[in-house]
Amino acid sequence: MFDWEFILQSIPAFSKALWLTLHLSFFGIALAIIFGFFVALVQYYKIKYLKTFVNIYVEISRNTPMLIQLFFIYYGLSRLGLKLEAYTCAICAVVFLGGSYMAESFRSGFEAVSKIQIESAKSLGLENLQILFFITLPQALVVSLPYIGANVIFLLKETSVVTAIALPDVLYVTKDIIGTYSKTNEAFLLLIACYLIVLLPISILFSGLEKYYKKRL
């Protein structure tokens, strides 16, 4: 049986923790999308010199856990003289991990656009930026949207590792309540509810956007 009175008393603590999770996720994922977009452009256009560094970054980012990346940013950089706040380190970790996943999403979208369309646009005298914004990008976004949505959900869930550097997110509050009051079932119920409140609307939103843009093209 659940202690519903305790659950009601714990809602404010979880609400505050959820706000931190949302705040962190919003800025981290937004920056990851922007960063990933430019990384994808470097890969797609095979920009000299930058491509090598970008490929190394993608391999490191995608093949190491976010927890290790977070520890390196939080503890490793401080050893090198760069001391950052825990919140800033958490955002950097989300951007570092998310940027590579978003880049792969955008790149798959770019490569889905047929070369015939691009060659036809060039023959009509369009410049590279015009081709990108008016031909490549609109079609690439439709292809990339499901992957971007999946990555957003993935990164939101990955933010739970920030509890390792003592940021009071929803997982941190859950562990604190279990350790203090031994209310395991109640704490996990609130934890699941927090993630469902956030993730279900995002899933529905991206699904709706995907259907909308497919009809428009």
Side-chain angles (χ1 to χ4, degrees):
M1 294 292 293
F2 289 106
D3 186 344
W4 294 105
E5 185 179 351
F6 181 82
I7 289 173
L8 291 174
Q9 291 173 354
S10 301
I11 286 176
F14 273 90
S15 298
K16 186 176 180 181
L18 182 59
W19 174 248
L20 173 68
T21 298
L22 289 174
H23 198 267
L24 168 66
S25 299
F26 176 80
F27 287 104
I29 293 171
L31 290 172
I33 290 172
I34 295 170
F35 183 51
F37 176 73
F38 286 104
V39 169
L41 287 179
V42 171
Q43 292 178 316
Y44 180 67
Y45 288 108
K46 297 180 174 62
I47 298 175
K48 198 174 181 181
Y49 303 117
L50 288 178
K51 185 186 175 185
T52 301
F53 292 106
V54 159
N55 289 339
I56 292 172
Y57 153 70
V58 169
E59 290 302 318
I60 292 173
S61 175
R62 288 174 64 89
N63 291 292
T64 53
M66 182 175 167
L67 183 61
I68 303 302
Q69 298 168 9
L70 180 63
F71 279 163
F72 176 79
I73 295 169
Y74 186 69
Y75 296 109
L77 293 183
S78 63
R79 293 292 183 91
L80 299 175
L82 183 59
K83 182 67 175 177
L84 299 174
E85 294 182 356
Y87 180 80
T88 304
C89 291
I91 289 180
C92 290
V94 174
V95 175
F96 187 83
L97 178 67
S100 63
Y101 281 89
M102 293 299 178
E104 290 298 302
S105 300
F106 282 118
R107 188 174 63 85
S108 64
F110 290 148
E111 292 179 350
V113 180
S114 65
K115 292 183 179 180
I116 295 174
Q117 293 184 56
I118 297 172
E119 290 171 1
S120 299
K122 287 181 179 179
S123 68
L124 292 172
L126 270 69
E127 297 180 355
N128 286 334
L129 278 178
Q130 292 175 313
I131 295 171
L132 174 64
F133 286 107
F134 296 113
I135 296 173
T136 307
L137 191 56
Q139 297 180 73
L141 281 176
V142 176
V143 176
S144 302
L145 206 55
Y147 305 107
I148 293 173
N151 288 335
V152 168
I153 293 172
F154 164 71
L155 291 172
L156 259 165
K157 291 185 288 187
E158 280 293 297
T159 58
S160 62
V161 303
V162 302
T163 189
I165 57 172
L167 276 176
D169 70 327
V170 287
L171 182 59
Y172 183 93
V173 171
T174 301
K175 292 168 63 178
D176 187 52
I177 286 175
I178 293 172
T180 305
Y181 303 103
S182 299
K183 297 286 187 178
T184 305
N185 293 335
E186 290 80 1
F188 277 119
L189 178 64
L190 286 167
L191 176 65
I192 293 169
C194 285
Y195 278 112
L196 285 176
I197 288 169
V198 175
L199 296 177
L200 277 179
I202 291 174
S203 179
I204 293 169
L205 173 64
F206 275 98
S207 179
L209 286 173
E210 182 187 354
K211 292 176 182 177
Y212 173 76
Y213 284 114
K214 278 185 177 180
K215 289 179 181 178
R216 297 274 293 184
L217 285 179

